[in-house]
């Protein structure tokens, strides 16, 4: 496709990508459209299932990951001997070698991953066989609006390729651990997540999309890529991501329908549904960029 001229300045724009399990294929489609149009932002922030697509976008390789990444995951989940932990770890193992070679070079965009640190008391329930029970309880508590356990035991953290402190700097040495930790929903992932020996769980409990977190980092605008028609701030789904934060605009690109209508859910999907949602994301990406065509 012929490159487009933009008045949407890439060097002052950050893209924040939402969580959503298999629904994240929509995000991958949008990023593929951006890449085909030669639009590359200064920074990419991610959460959970959007980590690998955002990482690929940060190095200009969205189409290398493409739809195939999601189809491979769906095929793996269709086997009776697998689970979400195994699927995510397989995707990381397959793609992190080439991503590590490219993400930490001068040519890569800034890249961030959101995840939640667990305190010592909370880790007693998240890092062993009690995790599934705690995860199911959190889903029920979130539906009731009960934030007590999450507020008491989880702390949102951003791992950033440009972090000033070593503990939160994303590097080739911790990329795999951080990528897995960001995705670990307790009710469906059976392998604990650790980063440098510390316990972590999925970003979604406190942050479905790190749009607000990157809005305060000095970028003039944020493009937030949703996985559902309404982009909520966290698992409680009682607050929406706003269209601006502290004076900086947040442009939200979202699917026009709930992906579940096409048999694409958080932990299951059909091949046909994934292909349709990926193409819908591409279309929404091209439509969005056409608004800024100079």
């Amino acid at each position: 496709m012929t490159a487009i001229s933009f008045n949407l300045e890439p060097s002052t724009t950050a893209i924040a990508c939402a969580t959503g399990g298999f629904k994240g294929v929509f995000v991958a489609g949008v990023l593929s459209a951006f890449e085909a149009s030669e639009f590359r932002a200064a920074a990419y922030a991610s959460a959970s299932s959007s980590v690998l697509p955002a990482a690929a976008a940060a190095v200009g390789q969205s189409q290398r990951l493409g739809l195939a990444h999601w189809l491979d995951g769906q095929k793996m989940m269709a086997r009776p001997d697998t689970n979400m932990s195994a699927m995510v770890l397989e995707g990381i193992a397959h793609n992190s070698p080439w991503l590590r070679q490219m993400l930490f070079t001068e040519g890569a965009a800034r890249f961030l991953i959101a995840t939640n640190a667990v305190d010592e008391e909370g880790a007693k329930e998240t890092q062993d066989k009690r995790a599934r029970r705690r995860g199911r309880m959190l889903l029920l508590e979130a539906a009731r609006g009960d934030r007590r356990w999450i507020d008491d035991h989880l702390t949102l953290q951003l791992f950033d390729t440009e972090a000033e402190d070593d503990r939160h700097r994303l590097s080739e040495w911790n990329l795999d651990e951080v990528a897995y930790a960001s995705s670990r929903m307790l009710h469906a992932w059976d392998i604990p997540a650790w980063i440098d020996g510390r316990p972590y769980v999925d970003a979604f409990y406190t942050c479905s999309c790190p749009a607000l977190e990157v809005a305060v980092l000095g970028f003039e605008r944020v493009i937030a890529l949703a996985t559902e028609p309404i982009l909520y701030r966290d698992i409680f789904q009682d607050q929406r991501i706003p269209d601006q934060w502290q004076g900086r605009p947040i442009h939200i690109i979202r699917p026009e329908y709930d992906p579940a209508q096409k048999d694409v859910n958080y932990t299951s999907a059909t091949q046909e549904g994934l292909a349709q949602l990926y193409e819908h994301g591409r279309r929404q990406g091209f439509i969005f960029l056409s608004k800024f065509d100079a």
Side-chain angles (χ1 to χ4, degrees), residues 88-265:
V88 171
L89 289 170
E90 173 64 24
I92 293 170
H94 181 71
N95 293 287
S96 69
W98 63 268
L99 285 170
R100 284 197 302 268
Q101 290 181 358
M102 304 178 75
L103 266 175
F104 307 102
T105 64
E106 290 186 7
R110 185 175 182 177
F111 181 54
L112 306 95
I113 300 176
T115 187
N116 278 296
V118 188
D119 71 2
E120 183 176 355
E121 186 65 26
K124 295 177 182 178
E125 296 184 76
T126 65
Q127 306 305 106
D128 62 20
K129 62 183 179 181
R130 289 173 287 183
R132 281 186 180 269
R133 180 177 182 274
R134 167 42 60 191
R136 290 192 291 268
M137 290 176 63
L138 286 177
L139 294 179
L140 293 172
E141 290 165 2
R144 296 195 298 262
D146 183 353
R147 296 176 178 267
R148 287 175 295 178
W149 195 94
I150 287 175
D151 287 346
D152 287 346
H153 301 296
L154 302 186
T155 303
L156 180 65
Q157 295 187 358
L158 285 182
F159 285 81
D160 182 353
T161 56
E162 296 187 12
E164 294 183 357
D165 64 294
D166 292 339
R167 183 170 179 176
H168 297 107
R169 184 175 300 115
L170 188 64
S171 72
E172 59 184 310
W173 310 113
N174 64 12
L175 175 64
D176 290 13
E177 287 188 333
V178 180
Y180 178 70
S182 182
S183 78
R184 195 211 169 196
M185 291 293 286
L186 294 169
H187 69 283
W189 273 245
D190 61 348
I191 298 176
W194 306 87
I195 302 172
D196 194 24
R198 300 181 181 92
Y200 284 80
V201 294
D202 197 296
F204 185 35
Y205 293 114
T206 65
C207 174
S208 69
C209 177
L212 306 186
E213 287 71 23
V214 295
V216 299
L217 295 180
F219 300 100
E220 292 184 4
R221 69 195 61 79
V222 176
I223 302 172
L225 308 186
T227 55
E228 295 179 330
I230 299 175
L231 181 56
Y232 291 105
R233 292 181 62 173
D234 55 35
I235 196 173
F236 294 94
Q237 297 190 342
D238 57 359
Q239 299 180 54
R240 300 188 183 196
I241 297 285
D243 58 11
Q244 67 85 29
W245 187 251
Q246 298 185 358
R248 290 181 167 83
I250 299 175
H251 308 284
I252 302 176
I253 303 177
R254 66 192 90 214
E256 297 176 312
Y257 55 84
D258 185 342
Q261 297 174 9
K262 302 293 185 179
D263 295 319
V264 180
N265 298 285

